[in-house]
Amino acid sequence: MNADACLEGLNEEQAEAVARVDGPLLILAGAGSGKTRVLTRRIAYMLSQGVQPWNILAVTFTNKAASEMRERVRELVGPDADRVTVSTFHSACVRILRRDIEVLGYKQNFTIYDTDDTSRLLRNLAKEANIDVKAFPVAKMRSVIDQAKVKLQDAAAYAASSRAAIGDPMIRIYRAYEEHLRVANAVDFNDLLNLTVRMFDEHPEVLERYRERYRYIMVDEYQDTNLAQYKLVKLLAGQHRNLAVVGDDDQSIYAFRGADIRNILDFERDFADAFVVRLERNYRSTAPILKAAHGVVQNNKGRMAKELWTSVDEGEKVELMIAADDTEEAGRVLRQVQRLRGEGYRYRDFAIIYRTNAASRPFEQAFVRARVPHILVGARKFYERREVRDMLAYLKLILNPTDNMAVLRVINVPARGIGAVALRGIQDQAQRDGSPLLAAASIWGQGKGRGRKGAKAFSELLEFARTQVNAISPGELVLLIAEKSGYLETLRAEDTPEAQARLENINELSRAVEDDVLEDGELHPLDRLQAFIDRASLSGQSDELPEGFDDEGAVTLLTAHLAKGLEYPVVFCVGMVEGGFPHHRARELEKDLEEERRLVYVAFTRAMKRLYLTRARRRLVMGMGFQTAEPSRFLAEIPDDVLGGDREPARPSWATQTGFSTSRFPSPTRRRPAAPAERPADLRTFTPEDPSEFQPGTRVMHPSFGLGEISRVEGAQQNLKLHIRFDRHGAKSVYARFAKLEVVLN
């Protein structure tokens, strides 16, 4: 392919990026600006200019992206493409280490440990060190080591860091982990990057050889690089400096994986002679969609100046849809999908994008009931998720104590010391007595021993839960089981993003059962609970109906993180409330809030023709009933002239703090605080261990509603319900065990 052919059909900025071969180059490629085309044409152009194919290294993040890039280069230049190294970071490092790792004391036939290998090793090391994996879960150990290695910290550096407290068991575990890998001649995924960086740092002769091999380096998705990847690229490009990085700081959304946006923001500092090309022409979305996305992301302080534009000025306004609750929100989305199908859209043209997987539940249910084909990307369907199935098994046992399959699922979940030997003892007891497993567990658990103690605790938990069916709501029953069983404690102790997502799913299940049983208000509580479980079971079966999709395809449901790189004619960005977009964990620090804006930007720019933003006015909060859901602050950042649809009924409390446009938000009448309540500096409180501390006249502090006084008390112990008149938010009723109240000291 000659040089002219390489530039054919490109716009001015794309052609400039392709034709600039030598020296450092930063290509700021906005969403939908044709960056993949630029990358592949650039490789073809370099080859047309006499660059040898084996001197080119192009790295990206996924095997799929590398494979697609390799194939497109092959279509352009033929067999020469096979001599260009197009690879992921990890694959490139494996190739380098297989040849040269011996200088670090490893053998070339090293083993690569995957996540399962690592987990098994950490479990064994914890056992040897007498560390209780219930108090310090394996997943947390793995997360701590991952986070340390992403920062290029070995065990010694971790021990010396501020993250390691005195007596931190991870210091011992990390050292033992490193020693095991060394003796076993093994590495983990992080080591592939870190050892390559270390080898280049400590052995300049090895680095020199690879610098001569890879004279021209290209890095895709540079905004997603972590510290090790950043150092690796700088080391390789340090001599010839022919480094082209492609990325978009506005799409940097993987900080939780170690990605550092400063790598792209500081590129011109690292390479003072860098040339910058901005690809701002968008070939995907309409002008209103681009203007809405820019309206949000431009409020970030940590970004490079750019604004996407399109030559197609017309397009529908971004439409805001406001519903009473998340069930109605899902119903409105469903009806709009069906309406647009009448205009010629197919199911495959629609995407439902949400912040977390837990938010998928009402939309799944709506589509299942309407028999609309749909697929979930990157997650099990709601009622198939492990923690949801575990909680449903507990509920089934409350209703049907003879359900042996439910017993087998959760008798040791979370771990109660009921291993294979103990389970055989319970099964033998059941066979002798001719009884179901749950009854046998109660009898067998009367003896001594860890397994028997666990069996007794399990049967007593279910017996107690059964007594609460008439006393508390079904949604509260879910949370009661999750708390009393130790399930929530286990997930909290794990303290990983995955564990947090599972906690959110349990909370969503409690909301789901609460929402669902409201329709059966005339039924006995047991019958209402049974009706919900029946519907959940049938939902699981119905999910399997749309197996072979026809040309219509299926509606796609996915998180904003997984939507990156994809595009759909119609996008519904749902859950646009405080705590959704932005996520509740990201509202304290400015850097986290800026990443949430970038996440919204990614979600918006997946839309090609139509973009809908949806939110609910209220949502169910366990222990407090339905509460007002504040509209997302990002809605106020969208220019008025591109936002249509429903009008906002109230001005959110944060609007006065930010200075954003609030023309769509008249004065509020009633609202729920979107952030923790203001706490007086001299306030002295304690958290009572005995619920009898909560008496009429007692002053209390609530995390959201602030200071108040108890006016009336109902129930006792686990069912203690408090009627409180809050100083700033009026009268509310809460359950003591869920409300996280503190008693104010006089």
Side-chain angles (χ1 to χ4, degrees), residues 263-460:
N263 294 348
I264 193 168
L265 295 179
D266 293 343
F267 186 80
E268 293 175 272
R269 182 204 64 187
D270 295 335
F271 297 89
D273 56 337
F275 190 83
V276 180
V277 177
R278 287 174 167 80
L279 304 183
E280 297 174 294
R281 183 174 180 179
N282 178 278
Y283 293 91
R284 175 189 298 152
S285 307
T286 64
I289 292 170
L290 296 180
K291 192 171 182 180
H294 181 71
V296 175
V297 82
Q298 71 175 346
N299 290 286
N300 280 354
K301 297 175 183 176
R303 69 182 295 266
M304 305 182 79
K306 61 185 173 301
E307 182 173 1
L308 295 179
W309 63 276
T310 176
S311 59
V312 183
D313 290 331
E314 64 267 14
E316 300 287 342
K317 282 188 174 184
V318 175
E319 188 165 333
L320 178 63
M321 297 165 59
I322 304 176
D325 53 35
D326 59 3
T327 300
E328 183 184 313
E329 181 181 11
R332 289 196 64 181
V333 168
L334 169 64
R335 289 192 294 275
Q336 190 63 20
V337 167
Q338 293 170 327
R339 188 176 300 120
L340 290 174
R341 283 189 68 234
E343 297 180 12
Y345 288 98
R346 300 168 298 175
Y347 284 130
R348 68 171 75 246
D349 295 331
F350 300 97
I352 316 296
I353 299 179
Y354 34 77
R355 177 61 179 81
T356 63
N357 279 316
S360 71
R361 194 268 308 169
F363 301 94
E364 288 182 66
Q365 287 193 184
F367 289 152
V368 164
R369 289 172 178 173
R371 299 180 69 84
V372 170
H374 59 282
I375 53 174
L376 260 74
V377 177
R380 287 178 175 268
K381 298 194 174 185
F382 185 78
Y383 290 108
E384 294 176 358
R385 294 170 191 168
R386 179 176 57 175
E387 56 279 4
V388 173
R389 290 170 68 90
D390 288 344
M391 290 300 109
L392 287 175
Y394 276 110
L395 294 178
K396 288 176 181 178
L397 282 169
I398 291 172
L399 297 170
N400 179 14
T402 66
D403 187 340
N404 286 346
M405 292 305 296
V407 170
L408 291 173
R409 180 176 184 90
V410 294
I411 193 169
N412 200 42
V413 177
R416 300 183 176 89
I418 304 175
V421 174
L423 185 57
R424 277 199 300 272
I426 295 170
Q427 290 170 326
D428 290 344
Q429 183 76 48
Q431 192 169 14
R432 285 194 300 271
D433 298 346
S435 66
L437 287 177
L438 183 57
S442 179
I443 295 170
W444 187 82
Q446 299 305 313
K448 292 185 178 181
R450 186 182 175 203
R452 292 179 186 269
K453 182 180 178 182
K456 182 182 180 184
F458 177 67
S459 57
E460 287 179 346

Side-chain angles (χ1 to χ4, degrees), residues 615 630-631 647-652 664-671:
R615 77 169 190 87
E630 290 279 12
R647 300 290 92 183
E648 292 286 1
R651 182 179 181 179
R664 294 188 295 281
F665 302 95
S667 297
T669 54
R670 174 178 176 269
R671 61 178 182 258

Side-chain angles (χ1 to χ4, degrees), residues 45 64 98 110 182 305-306 315 321 374 411 584 630 632 669 725:
Y45 187 87
K64 180 182 178 183
R98 287 291 180 204
F110 60 85
R182 188 188 63 78
K306 61 185 173 301
M321 297 165 59
H374 59 282
I411 193 169
H584 66 84
E630 290 279 12
S632 167
T669 54
R725 180 163 294 280

Side-chain angles (χ1 to χ4, degrees), residues 93-123:
C93 289
V94 168
R95 183 180 301 185
I96 292 169
L97 292 174
R98 287 291 180 204
R99 177 174 177 178
D100 293 293
I101 198 171
E102 289 182 345
V103 299
L104 296 177
Y106 292 79
K107 297 177 182 177
Q108 288 180 326
N109 64 341
F110 60 85
T111 299
I112 302 173
Y113 277 14
D114 62 18
T115 302
D116 287 342
D117 296 327
T118 297
S119 295
R120 281 195 295 270
L121 171 57
L122 289 172
R123 188 172 288 106

Side-chain angles (χ1 to χ4, degrees), residues 659-683:
F660 300 144
S661 169
T662 57
S663 60
R664 294 188 295 281
F665 302 95
S667 297
T669 54
R670 174 178 176 269
R671 61 178 182 258
R672 175 188 171 198
E678 184 176 348
R679 192 181 185 93
D682 59 348
L683 185 69

Side-chain angles (χ1 to χ4, degrees), residues 9-312:
L10 301 179
N11 65 40
E12 182 180 344
E13 291 77 22
Q14 289 174 332
E16 189 171 26
V18 166
R20 187 167 289 271
V21 172
D22 296 317
L25 173 66
L26 170 59
I27 304 173
L28 283 175
S33 62
K35 76 174 176 81
T36 304
R37 192 180 194 201
V38 169
L39 283 169
T40 53
R41 291 288 190 94
R42 192 170 187 276
I43 293 173
Y45 187 87
M46 284 193 284
L47 295 176
S48 76
Q49 298 302 297
V51 175
Q52 298 302 324
W54 52 85
N55 289 146
I56 300 173
L57 170 64
V59 289
T60 187
F61 279 82
T62 67
N63 290 319
K64 180 182 178 183
S67 178
E68 289 177 355
M69 190 186 302
R70 196 179 301 114
E71 186 57 37
R72 290 178 68 168
V73 173
R74 188 179 292 113
E75 291 173 2
L76 293 173
V77 303
D80 274 351
D82 296 329
R83 293 187 287 175
V84 176
T85 302
V86 181
S87 169
T88 65
F89 274 101
H90 288 88
S91 294
C93 289
V94 168
R95 183 180 301 185
I96 292 169
L97 292 174
R98 287 291 180 204
R99 177 174 177 178
D100 293 293
I101 198 171
E102 289 182 345
V103 299
L104 296 177
Y106 292 79
K107 297 177 182 177
Q108 288 180 326
N109 64 341
F110 60 85
T111 299
I112 302 173
Y113 277 14
D114 62 18
T115 302
D116 287 342
D117 296 327
T118 297
S119 295
R120 281 195 295 270
L121 171 57
L122 289 172
R123 188 172 288 106
N124 292 339
L125 293 175
K127 186 176 181 180
E128 292 172 6
N130 292 318
I131 293 174
D132 182 4
V133 294
K134 286 184 66 178
F136 207 91
V138 168
K140 184 172 183 178
M141 295 181 199
R142 194 176 66 239
S143 176
V144 169
I145 291 176
D146 280 344
Q147 290 174 39
K149 290 197 173 190
V150 161
K151 297 176 182 177
L152 291 175
Q153 291 180 340
D154 58 13
Y158 172 79
S161 72
S162 59
R163 292 184 61 222
I166 297 175
D168 183 355
M170 277 308 304
I171 296 175
R172 284 182 294 153
I173 289 292
Y174 196 176
R175 284 173 176 158
Y177 178 77
E178 277 192 338
E179 178 63 16
H180 176 93
L181 291 180
R182 188 188 63 78
V183 172
N185 193 40
V187 301
D188 61 24
F189 287 139
N190 287 308
D191 288 334
L192 296 174
L193 298 170
N194 294 7
L195 289 176
T196 305
V197 170
R198 179 184 150 200
M199 182 170 66
F200 286 168
D201 266 334
E202 296 178 0
H203 299 276
E205 73 285 358
V206 177
L207 173 61
E208 177 63 25
R209 186 156 25 91
Y210 284 99
R211 281 177 169 175
E212 283 303 308
R213 168 70 189 274
Y214 297 125
R215 290 169 172 248
Y216 295 86
I217 301 169
M218 294 170 56
V219 183
D220 189 17
E221 304 287 6
Y222 191 65
Q223 77 280 352
D224 293 335
T225 52
N226 62 25
L227 179 59
Q229 291 157 339
Y230 166 77
K231 287 199 169 187
L232 183 65
V233 168
K234 279 198 71 179
L235 285 166
L236 279 173
Q239 181 178 342
H240 298 290
R241 298 171 57 78
N242 298 321
L243 171 64
V245 301
V246 187
D248 181 6
D249 54 303
D250 287 337
Q251 296 187 73
S252 178
I253 58 174
Y254 295 116
F256 67 95
R257 295 182 186 168
D260 191 343
I261 192 174
R262 291 174 300 178
N263 294 348
I264 193 168
L265 295 179
D266 293 343
F267 186 80
E268 293 175 272
R269 182 204 64 187
D270 295 335
F271 297 89
D273 56 337
F275 190 83
V276 180
V277 177
R278 287 174 167 80
L279 304 183
E280 297 174 294
R281 183 174 180 179
N282 178 278
Y283 293 91
R284 175 189 298 152
S285 307
T286 64
I289 292 170
L290 296 180
K291 192 171 182 180
H294 181 71
V296 175
V297 82
Q298 71 175 346
N299 290 286
N300 280 354
K301 297 175 183 176
R303 69 182 295 266
M304 305 182 79
K306 61 185 173 301
E307 182 173 1
L308 295 179
W309 63 276
T310 176
S311 59
V312 183

